[in-house]
Amino acid sequence: MLAQASPLLLLLLLVTQCLDGADCSTITTQRPAPRRDGQYPPPETLAFLRPLGKLCLQETGVSPEAVKRFSDADPFDDNRALKCYMDCMFRVTNVTDDRGELHMGKLLEHVPTEFEDIALRMGVRCTRPKGKDVCERAFWFHKCWKTSDPVHYYLV
């Protein structure tokens, strides 16, 4: 029966057992590790984005460590400079308009064909951004993408 149970049912069962006094101190939730190897993130995409990233680092004053931390570890860093860095990267790659509206077709032009399915799956739930300005909206997209697929998400 448990092999066919839904993940939600199994979680409810676990929570019920913990509330009933079972030792649940060793239960941890661990984020999947981001994929970082010779083929991913795509080397040609990295080569294109790195010079633009340097430009946006200078423009926004965000630290390279904050960018790496968001990319590889913490998706909820509430750092204004980081949010504006994300908007800068959108602007310099020409994937957003002046209001911060993302154009998925333009974004996909920067994704190698073999990774388009990953990008589309990552973005399918991330279509209604929230935020009071372009920096907040850019951050919303990145946080949504990272939450949607932490293995394949990366920020340069």
Side-chain angles (χ1 to χ4, degrees), residues 12-13 25 27 35 38 55 60 64 67 75 78 81 86-87 92 94 98 147 153 156:
L12 288 173
L13 180 60
S25 61
I27 298 172
R35 180 178 171 194
L55 175 80
T60 62
V67 173
D78 192 15
M86 293 169 176
D87 173 61
V92 299
N94 197 33
D98 294 339
T147 302
Y153 173 85
V156 177

Side-chain angles (χ1 to χ4, degrees), residues 45-78:
T45 303
L46 292 176
F48 169 74
L49 291 175
R50 281 192 177 120
L52 302 174
K54 287 181 183 179
L55 175 80
C56 290
L57 285 173
Q58 291 173 349
E59 179 182 309
T60 62
V62 71
S63 71
E65 295 79 21
V67 173
K68 180 146 181 65
R69 184 174 53 248
F70 184 92
S71 183
D72 294 349
D74 182 14
F76 305 106
D77 191 357
D78 192 15

Side-chain angles (χ1 to χ4, degrees), residues 7-17:
L8 180 59
L9 181 60
L10 292 174
L11 178 63
L12 288 173
L13 180 60
L14 178 64
V15 168
T16 303
Q17 289 175 342

Side-chain angles (χ1 to χ4, degrees), residues 29 66 69 81 85 131 144:
T29 57
R69 184 174 53 248
Y85 171 86
C144 186

